[in-house]
Amino acid sequence: AGPFGSGNPAPVFAFPSHRIAYASVVGSGHVRVTLKSGDQSSLAGIAFGAAESPLGKALLQSDRRPIHVAGTLSRNVWQGRESVQIRIRDAATT
């Protein structure tokens, strides 16, 4: 599934029927979330610059209802820790 770059975009993955366990605005209007699946596994996510957009509002106001999320997966390094996160491009409530 790589390499990615000019003429070869990163694949977009869909995560159906997840719940948002945590959502907040961070930085300059980004929305950070923690998604939970039915088996309680979790995935960190971020929607860059989305806080005031319909996408950001949907993420922030999900009220733990099931939501479908689509985006690209990326490596996140923060304070010396490495993890996988989804860069959220779109979402829809069920």
Side-chain angles (χ1 to χ4, degrees):
F4 311 115
S6 181
N8 192 16
V12 175
F13 295 91
F15 292 86
S17 297
H18 280 60
R19 296 187 188 275
I20 295 180
Y22 171 81
S24 69
V25 177
V26 296
S28 299
H30 313 307
V31 178
R32 178 168 299 284
V33 301
T34 301
L35 301 170
K36 290 273 188 174
S37 67
D39 69 359
Q40 299 305 306
S41 59
S42 63
L43 175 64
I46 190 158
F48 288 107
E52 296 299 320
S53 72
L55 171 60
K57 290 176 183 177
L59 295 171
L60 291 166
Q61 299 169 358
S62 72
D63 295 328
R64 297 172 99 43
R65 292 176 303 208
I67 190 168
H68 306 306
V69 177
T72 57
L73 295 177
S74 65
R75 187 178 105 196
N76 182 36
V77 178
W78 177 253
Q79 296 181 341
R81 293 191 316 222
E82 198 171 324
S83 63
V84 174
Q85 72 175 1
I86 182 171
R87 291 184 178 191
I88 300 169
R89 289 188 177 181
D90 203 1
T93 56
T94 61

